[in-house]
């Protein structure tokens, strides 16, 4: 058995983000932020500060884009990614 | 096989079930209600489903849903009800869904009356819904054809993934005649495109929308290629004593029955007269009419409308010989004597 | 809960059907549709029902839901998703059918369709997105638009005098007996969103369990047409929409209802003709009668009051004649004619192919009341026959170029104990006089048109009486 993730982590696919800001507004830890640069669609994509995600998933369920946000919780085993 | 004395409307239902139809969605309206009633009676007995919808609009859309599932299904109504179904018919034509729709025409416009009429020709043959499309339109003139053409309608609808219509008038629907029912269709065609609730469904889509202009144009072009194929292969008509005819009567549905009597009577008076009866109203027997126009003296078209099919006759004839027209409306069917009188008047005028 | 929140398998990885950028949806930033899509797709994954699920896309912003859901997809006409769902669910009862609709689609143009699908208790799941505005067409008034709310078609705000009040769908549908589960939820904060997630799963589970109709109304933000930021729009749902459309469960019979499992229909033609009441063998009967020449192509008009069995008399003749080898047609006057009105039918009996089923110049008129005799005797072909009931018609026919046969049919029937068999007395008289059919032909036909078998002997007696009357008068 591979060891799971030690810390939760959120991954944002910037290309799919429409910059609506709902994930940033909902994040209880305040670890998401609006990035300065523009993505291919002309939006300021959300970004993760790289620390502090608890894996609560609030952002995932606020984000309207099916693939824009992925949340890996503590204990998640990378190999599960098919 | 034995003959059964049966109403045209009921023969449709038996024909449909013999053709493998097991689903009916409809709404009552005179003079088509016997179709719904017979479907409600027989379908549960053969493991099928009859559902009385909340409206004509709902019934055509239930049919749209059911036809998406790849089975054989139908609806029936009469003129005002068909008007209501037109949106759904256009969607079905666009989404290329095979289905059978029966229109037992009655007097109009508006609520009109329940007498027989043929004023839905344009709304069915030329398309009563939006967008450019064609329906396969078959016009029976007797109870036997109510059965046979319904079965053919299912076959053609499936073959071409296109809605097919049985266009009949109130008299053909209400009339009882002997019918010899054929053997049932034992195996239905495979429909790989249909929604089946299985793992291949992710590759299937029933839809009539395409926002990309060129793609939608391409879809239209493909539809019309399909229509051309139908036109080339499925024109149906009947020639009645045409070999030496100089005057050719043209009529469909109950009118063609009256015209037969006219021909029979005038033949006894040694008048060289015959009848061409379009059985498929679309595709229309325009080539046959154009050919006839080369060798006969005149056409005489009779309709239970102010003149709808006659336009197609005139297009086919293209001004080569006279096309006369006579009609009755409001549910009135002309008698043979009345038509003979008209023909005699014409003869005097010539 | 899963160890990762990842794009659901029930979404296509790449949206091939979509034009342009193929890995993002067409929805605006902050739109509620995408979130609801995710919750549905996640549930389909978790329940393992993706492969048997069918999505009905409506007309509205979610018209392209089929771009995204990796399911069987059907796109429906505006408002008709519940009818389309009904059709496909009846064909595939084992499937999971989702009708996904917006407020204009469901509550305005498709109002009756959702009402009736709910009332039939269709075993489908409806997700109803209420954002109080028409999104796709650019922000017009919806049936759920709030009072005073400005839209492009209520530029001065929705005015109840002109436009009426916002429609509360859950409250309306909850009055019906059939629906199993109706709840209104809102896509706002994390707490409310988790309620949406639960409701979505419950509504799907009910369908999987064959419990019946479930509807979840989802209050949802439309930042673009509300002209707000996505964050403001969510707040507006909280502050305004929820006030007009209170959240909660409006109906829930989930724990009480007994599942109704619908079996998938198996196509079969076994015994089909029997079930359709199609006769298997020819009725072997060849009439021994000599064909009277003047009745070779018999055209009959039969008329009288409704209730005299006029149509049945014609039908009986046609049935008997068919069995005796003739071509026949029978055409009724049809429509809302009740007893006491008039009834008539046209019958052709011929050895030749029958032309007009409509009889304009009858060779035989059977009149069972005075108005019918007055109306139709002038039409009879010279040399034809007028057969009439002298019990009810005391006047004499005026024509002298036709054959006339009067018979007190109703009186004879009354003597037999039932005036309603006067029609069969007439039948007897008719066959005796014309010889177009013999007695046996009619007796053979009786079971085909007399539905109540116990009345057959009486009908037979009436026929014999009618025949005897004619034969004894000759």
């Amino acid at each position: 058995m591979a060891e799971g993730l030690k810390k939760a982590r959120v991954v944002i696919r910037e290309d799919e983000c429409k910059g609506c800001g709902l994930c940033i507004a909902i994040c209880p830890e305040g670890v998401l932020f609006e990035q300065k640069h523009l993505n291919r669609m002309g939006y300021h994509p959300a970004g993760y500060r790289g620390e502090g995600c608890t894996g609560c998933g609030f952002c995932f369920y606020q984000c309207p884009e099916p693939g824009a946000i992925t949340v890996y919780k503590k204990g998640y085993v990378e190999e599960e990614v098919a | 096989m034995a003959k059964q004395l049966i109403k045209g409307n009921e023969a449709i239902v038996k024909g449909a079930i013999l053709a493998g139809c097991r689903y009916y969605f409809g709404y009552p309206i005179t003079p088509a209600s016997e179709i719904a009633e017979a479907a409600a009676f027989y379908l549960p007995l053969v493991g099928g489903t009859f559902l009385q919808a909340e409206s004509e609009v709902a019934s055509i859309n239930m049919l749209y849903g059911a036809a998406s599932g790849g089975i054989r299904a139908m609806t029936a109504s009469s003129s005002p009800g068909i008007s209501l179904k037109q949106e759904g018919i256009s969607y079905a034509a666009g989404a290329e869904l095979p289905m059978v729709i029966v229109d037992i025409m009655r007097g109009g416009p508006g609520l009109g009356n329940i007498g027989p009429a043929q004023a839905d020709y344009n709304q069915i043959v030329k398309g009563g819904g939006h967008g450019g499309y064609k329906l396969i339109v078959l016009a029976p003139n007797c109870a036997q054809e109510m059965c046979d053409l319904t079965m053919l309608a299912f076959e053609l609808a499936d073959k071409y993934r296109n809605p097919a219509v049985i266009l009949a008038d109130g008299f053909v629907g209400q009339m009882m005649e002997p019918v010899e029912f054929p053997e049932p269709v034992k195996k239905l065609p495979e429909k790989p495109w249909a929604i089946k609730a299985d793992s291949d469904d992710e590759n299937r889509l029933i839809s009539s929308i395409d926002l990309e202009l060129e793609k939608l144009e391409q879809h239209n072009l493909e539809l019309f290629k399909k229509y051309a194929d139908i036109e080339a292969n499925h024109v149906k008509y009947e020639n009645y004593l045409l070999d030496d005819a100089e005057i050719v009567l043209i009529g469909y549905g109950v009118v063609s029955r009256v015209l037969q009597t006219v021909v029979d009577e005038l033949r006894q008076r040694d008048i060289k007269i015959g009848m061409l009866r379009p059985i498929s109203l679309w595709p229309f027997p325009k080539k046959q009419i154009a050919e006839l126009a080369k060798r006969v003296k005149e056409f005489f078209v009779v309709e239970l409308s102010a003149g709808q099919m006659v336009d197609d006759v005139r297009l086919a004839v293209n001004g080569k010989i006279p096309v006369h027209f006579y009609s009755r409306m409001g549910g009135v069917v002309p008698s043979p004597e009345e038509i003979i009188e008209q023909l005699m008047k014409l003869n005097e005028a010539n | 809960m899963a160890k990762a929140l990842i794009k659901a398998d029930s979404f296509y990885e790449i949206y091939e059907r979509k034009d342009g950028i193929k890995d993002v949806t067409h929805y605006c930033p902050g739109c509620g549709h995408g979130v609801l899509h995710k919750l549905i797709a996640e549930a389909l994954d978790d329940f393992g029902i993706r492969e048997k699920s069918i999505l009905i896309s409506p007309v509205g912003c979610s018209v392209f839901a089929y771009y995204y859901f990796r399911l069987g997809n059907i796109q429906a006409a505006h408002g008709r998703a519940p009818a389309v769902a009904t059709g496909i669910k009846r064909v595939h009862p084992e499937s999971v059918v989702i009708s996904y609709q917006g407020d204009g689609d469901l509550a305005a143009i498709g109002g009756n369709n959702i009402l009736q699908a709910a009332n039939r208790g269709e075993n489908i799941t409806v997700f109803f997105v209420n954002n109080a505005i028409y999104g796709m067409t650019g922000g017009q008034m919806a049936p759920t638009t709030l009072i005073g709310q400005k839209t492009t078609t209520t530029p001065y705000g929705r005015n109840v005098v002109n436009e009426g009040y916002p429609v509360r769908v859950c409250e309306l549908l909850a009055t019906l007996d059939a629906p199993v589960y109706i709840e209104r939820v809102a896509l706002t904060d994390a707490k409310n969103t988790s309620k949406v997630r639960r409701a979505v799963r419950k509504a799907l589970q009910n369908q999987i369990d064959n419990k019946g109709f479930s509807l979840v109304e989802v209050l949802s933000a439309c930042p673009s047409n509300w002209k707000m930021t996505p964050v403001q729009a969510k707040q507006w749902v909280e502050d305004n929409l929820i006030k007009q459309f209170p959240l909660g469960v409006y109906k829930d019979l989930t724990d009480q209802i007994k599942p109704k499992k619908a079996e998938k229909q198996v196509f079969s033609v076994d015994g089909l003709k029997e079930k359709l009441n199609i006769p298997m063998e020819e009725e072997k009967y060849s009439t021994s009668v000599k064909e009277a020449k003047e009745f070779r192509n018999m055209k009959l008009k039969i008329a009288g009051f409704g209730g005299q069995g006029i149509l049945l008399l014609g039908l009986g003749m046609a049935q008997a004649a068919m069995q005796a080898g003739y071509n026949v047609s029978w055409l009724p006057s049809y429509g809302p004619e009740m007893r006491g009105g008039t009834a008539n039918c046209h019958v052709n009996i011929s050895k030749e192919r029958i032309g007009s089923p409509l009889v304009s110049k009858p060779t035989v008129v059977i009149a069972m009341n005075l108005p019918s005799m007055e109306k139709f005797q002038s039409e009879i072909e010279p040399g034809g026959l007028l057969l009439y009931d002298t019990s009810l018609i005391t006047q004499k026919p005026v024509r002298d170029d036709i054959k006339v046969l009067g018979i007190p049919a109703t009186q004879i029937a009354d003597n037999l104990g039932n005036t309603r068999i006067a029609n069969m007395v007439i039948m007897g008289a008719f066959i005796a006089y014309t010889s177009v059919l013999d007695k046996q032909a009619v007796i053979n036909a009786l079971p085909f048109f007399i539905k109540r078998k116990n009345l057959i002997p009486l009908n037979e007696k009436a026929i014999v009486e009618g025949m005897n009357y004619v034969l004894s008068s000759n």
Side-chain angles (χ1 to χ4, degrees):
Chain A
M1 267 304 271
E3 212 172 310
L5 282 184
K6 292 219 166 53
K7 273 191 273 182
R9 176 156 65 88
V10 55
V11 176
I12 294 166
R13 286 195 194 159
E14 292 184 10
D15 269 356
E16 297 182 28
C17 177
K18 288 174 181 163
C20 72
L22 290 175
C23 57
I24 300 167
I26 202 85
C27 178
E29 309 301 322
V31 296
L32 300 177
F33 69 104
E34 185 184 299
Q35 303 198 72
K36 286 264 186 300
H37 68 270
L38 298 173
N39 69 5
R40 62 178 172 169
M41 293 183 283
Y43 296 117
H44 292 290
Y48 174 44
R49 295 190 195 285
E51 274 303 320
C53 175
T54 63
C56 72
F58 286 7
C59 58
F60 180 84
Y61 290 112
Q62 287 287 308
C63 175
E65 273 304 313
I69 292 184
T70 310
V71 177
Y72 299 101
K73 300 185 180 189
K74 191 177 162 189
Y76 174 76
V77 179
E78 293 281 358
E79 280 78 357
E80 286 177 21
V81 189
Chain B
M1 191 53 67
K3 283 181 177 161
Q4 184 166 39
L5 187 65
I6 191 170
K7 256 191 192 191
N9 280 346
E10 199 181 335
I12 283 180
V13 173
K14 292 192 183 185
I17 293 173
L18 289 171
C21 173
R22 295 291 182 273
Y23 292 84
Y24 183 105
F25 304 92
Y27 191 83
I29 182 170
T30 311
S33 294
E34 293 87 355
I35 305 176
E37 288 165 358
F41 183 84
Y42 289 114
L43 276 170
L45 303 181
V46 301
T49 295
F50 168 85
L51 186 54
Q52 182 167 328
E54 62 267 28
S55 65
E56 299 283 6
V57 175
S59 73
I60 192 73
N61 282 285
M62 288 174 181
L63 184 54
Y64 181 97
S68 301
I71 45 69
R72 284 188 168 173
M74 71 178 293
T75 187
S77 189
S78 178
S79 310
I82 296 292
S83 301
L84 282 165
K85 288 184 196 292
Q86 289 294 355
E87 181 204 34
I89 294 173
S90 168
Y91 275 67
E96 295 189 88
L97 284 178
M99 55 175 65
V100 172
I101 301 152
V102 179
D103 180 2
I104 307 295
M105 292 180 280
R106 58 184 248 181
L111 200 47
N113 65 25
I114 58 173
Q118 296 179 325
D120 290 5
Y121 183 94
N122 281 350
Q123 87 155 334
I124 292 296
V125 173
K126 309 289 179 181
H130 56 285
Y133 63 88
K134 295 284 183 192
L135 304 172
I136 297 163
V137 187
L138 304 174
N141 79 344
C142 59
Q144 183 69 53
E145 284 189 352
M146 288 291 244
C147 166
D148 296 347
L149 293 181
T150 299
M151 295 185 76
L152 178 64
F154 276 105
E155 191 189 315
L156 293 179
D158 275 347
K159 182 173 178 189
Y160 289 101
R161 280 191 67 178
N162 207 69
V165 179
I166 297 294
L167 190 67
D169 51 80
F171 274 172
V172 179
Q174 294 295 321
M175 180 167 59
M176 278 181 123
E177 287 183 312
V179 173
E180 230 178 292
F181 287 99
E183 287 303 309
V185 171
K186 294 199 171 60
K187 200 171 175 301
L188 298 181
E190 292 294 322
K191 298 180 185 176
W193 51 266
I195 303 289
K196 300 204 177 75
D198 66 18
S199 56
D200 290 333
D201 266 359
E202 63 181 77
N203 301 315
R204 299 178 179 127
L205 169 66
I206 304 297
S207 166
S208 63
I209 184 173
D210 200 326
L211 287 195
E212 289 181 57
L213 314 185
E214 285 77 13
K215 270 173 74 184
L216 186 57
E217 184 186 42
Q218 193 52 41
H219 176 57
N220 272 271
L221 290 171
E222 274 157 26
L223 285 179
F224 275 82
K225 219 159 87 186
K226 174 174 91 175
Y227 299 153
D229 188 10
I230 299 172
E231 273 196 293
N233 293 297
H234 296 287
V235 174
K236 261 182 101 68
Y237 58 95
E238 182 199 353
N239 284 340
Y240 189 68
L241 305 182
L242 278 185
D243 285 352
D244 61 343
E246 292 173 353
I247 305 165
V248 176
L249 306 178
I250 302 182
Y252 67 98
V254 73
V255 169
S256 66
R257 300 287 296 269
V258 178
L259 295 182
Q260 186 206 311
T261 300
V262 170
V263 171
D264 290 345
E265 298 216 353
L266 292 180
R267 281 276 170 183
Q268 283 180 11
R269 301 187 207 171
D270 288 329
I271 295 174
K272 288 183 175 170
I273 189 166
M275 172 178 67
L276 181 128
R277 170 169 76 100
I279 297 173
S280 59
L281 296 179
W282 193 88
F284 192 69
K286 53 188 180 189
K287 273 188 196 148
Q288 290 70 22
I289 290 171
E291 281 302 312
L292 275 176
K294 292 177 190 163
R295 66 172 171 91
V296 305
K297 286 188 179 150
E298 55 195 356
F299 288 107
F300 190 88
V301 179
V302 181
E303 285 181 73
L304 306 182
S305 80
Q308 299 188 0
M309 180 185 70
V310 68
D311 291 347
D312 283 334
V313 174
R314 288 194 170 122
L315 280 172
V317 172
N318 200 16
K320 290 198 172 69
I321 59 169
V323 177
H324 307 289
F325 179 67
Y326 184 67
S327 86
R328 294 300 300 268
M329 287 174 276
V332 183
V333 175
S335 66
E337 298 75 38
E338 187 180 343
I339 293 169
I340 289 170
E341 195 189 319
Q342 292 297 320
L343 286 163
M344 291 303 144
K345 264 191 214 164
L346 266 178
N347 196 30
E348 281 162 28
N350 283 350
Chain C
M1 209 179 266
K3 284 283 178 196
L5 300 170
I6 303 176
K7 182 177 176 182
D9 199 37
S10 292
F11 284 121
Y12 293 108
E13 207 176 320
I14 302 295
Y15 312 134
E16 295 290 355
R17 289 173 181 144
K18 185 172 172 282
D19 195 15
I21 300 176
K22 291 185 190 299
D23 53 5
V24 293
T25 66
H26 70 289
Y27 295 115
C28 306
C31 172
H33 279 301
V35 178
L36 183 57
H37 282 19
K38 281 169 75 170
L39 295 173
I40 294 168
E42 182 194 54
L44 298 180
D45 277 17
D46 291 352
F47 294 168
I49 54 173
R50 181 185 71 76
E51 292 189 351
K52 63 171 182 173
S53 294
I54 298 167
L55 180 80
I56 318 295
S57 300
V59 170
C61 282
S62 47
V63 62
F64 298 121
Y66 66 82
Y67 284 172
Y68 314 119
F69 284 98
R70 189 151 76 97
L71 314 171
N73 278 292
I74 304 175
Q75 199 290 315
H78 200 20
R80 314 303 167 213
V84 174
T86 298
I88 189 75
K89 182 71 182 187
R90 297 295 180 112
V91 172
H92 298 309
E94 76 286 10
S95 66
V96 174
V97 176
I98 300 165
S99 178
Y100 188 108
Q101 303 180 258
D103 41 38
D105 193 87
L106 181 139
I109 198 165
N112 194 28
N113 297 121
I114 192 62
L115 175 77
Q116 303 290 341
N119 193 49
R120 286 191 301 268
E122 294 295 339
N123 187 30
I124 60 173
T125 304
V126 181
F127 295 119
F128 165 40
V129 177
N130 177 1
N131 56 17
I133 204 154
Y134 281 54
M136 168 155 268
T137 45
Q140 296 82 10
M141 184 188 75
T144 51
T145 290
L146 301 186
I147 299 165
Q149 187 182 341
K150 286 185 180 174
T151 71
T152 59
T153 51
T154 53
Y156 311 108
R158 182 176 188 156
N159 174 356
V160 294
V161 177
N162 198 48
E163 288 103 16
Y165 294 84
V167 176
R168 294 192 186 96
V169 168
C170 288
E171 287 86 335
L172 276 172
L173 295 184
T175 67
L176 301 173
D177 290 335
V180 173
Y181 169 56
I182 295 175
E183 180 169 2
R184 184 183 290 123
V185 290
L187 281 170
T188 55
D189 59 15
K191 193 173 153 213
N192 271 337
T193 303
S194 78
K195 282 186 184 166
V196 180
R197 186 172 178 273
R198 271 207 300 278
V200 165
R201 297 164 93 89
K202 180 166 175 158
L204 288 168
Q205 190 63 52
N206 280 345
Q207 184 178 175
I208 296 166
D209 295 342
N210 293 299
K211 286 189 173 170
F213 183 90
S214 295
L215 178 141
V216 179
E217 176 175 344
V218 182
L219 301 183
S220 173
C222 181
S224 295
N225 283 300
W226 294 353
K227 309 200 185 329
M228 298 175 191
T229 68
V231 175
Q232 285 170 337
K234 288 240 166 179
Q235 195 57 47
W236 197 81
V237 174
E238 290 275 5
D239 297 345
N240 296 281
L241 267 193
I242 291 177
K243 283 206 181 103
Q244 176 66 33
F245 303 107
L247 305 185
V249 176
Y250 286 85
K251 188 158 190 210
D252 189 0
L253 304 177
T254 306
D255 295 332
Q256 287 129 271
I257 208 100
K258 282 211 177 83
K260 294 181 289 280
K261 188 155 172 56
E263 293 296 329
K264 188 171 172 69
Q265 291 171 17
V266 180
F267 182 76
S268 158
V269 295
D270 292 346
L272 198 66
K273 285 197 155 181
E274 271 177 346
K275 289 172 191 163
L276 290 177
N277 186 29
I278 291 171
M280 305 305 246
E281 275 175 57
E282 191 88 57
E283 289 293 319
K284 290 228 189 318
Y285 178 74
S286 53
T287 179
S288 58
V289 298
K290 53 187 186 309
E291 274 177 47
K293 205 178 172 196
E294 66 264 44
F295 298 122
R296 197 175 150 71
N297 287 307
M298 188 170 283
K299 300 178 209 167
L300 293 109
K301 222 173 212 181
I302 308 171
F305 295 122
Q308 282 184 311
I310 297 294
L311 301 186
L312 200 69
L313 172 57
L315 193 56
M317 284 178 187
Q319 178 73 38
M322 178 189 79
Q323 287 175 214
Y326 288 98
N327 292 320
V328 299
S329 72
W330 172 90
L331 180 68
S333 56
Y334 59 88
E337 275 143 345
M338 299 296 157
R339 189 160 301 177
T342 60
N344 72 71
C345 64
H346 300 199
V347 177
N348 281 280
I349 300 174
S350 177
K351 288 285 181 190
E352 282 145 35
R353 181 173 123 157
I354 292 168
S356 177
L358 203 65
V359 174
S360 49
K361 278 167 76 182
T363 54
V364 178
V365 163
I366 296 175
M368 290 186 69
N369 66 8
L370 181 60
S372 301
M373 188 173 87
E374 286 176 332
K375 194 170 171 192
F376 296 125
Q377 69 168 307
S378 62
E379 296 179 356
I380 302 172
E381 289 250 33
L385 169 68
L386 171 64
L387 200 174
Y388 68 107
D389 185 350
T390 53
S391 318
L392 303 180
I393 307 172
T394 48
Q395 272 160 269
K396 293 263 176 273
V398 293
R399 292 274 298 269
D400 56 7
D401 60 340
I402 55 171
K403 299 183 193 73
V404 169
L405 172 61
I407 174 171
T410 305
Q411 188 57 55
I412 292 170
D414 198 29
N415 295 346
L416 288 171
N418 189 344
T419 53
R420 291 182 61 188
I421 52 168
N423 57 352
M424 288 302 121
V425 176
I426 293 276
M427 172 80 95
F430 167 76
I431 62 170
Y433 190 87
T434 64
S435 303
V436 75
L437 293 165
D438 65 10
K439 182 181 150 193
Q440 195 55 44
V442 179
I443 304 280
N444 286 352
L446 275 175
F448 290 91
F449 64 95
I450 304 293
K451 293 277 180 284
R452 285 164 63 186
K453 300 295 164 227
N454 58 330
L455 290 179
I456 288 180
L458 182 63
N459 278 273
E460 220 176 296
K461 216 184 266 178
I463 291 164
V464 172
E465 286 294 314
M467 292 183 75
N468 287 345
Y469 182 87
V470 171
L471 298 175
S472 62
S473 353
N474 279 355

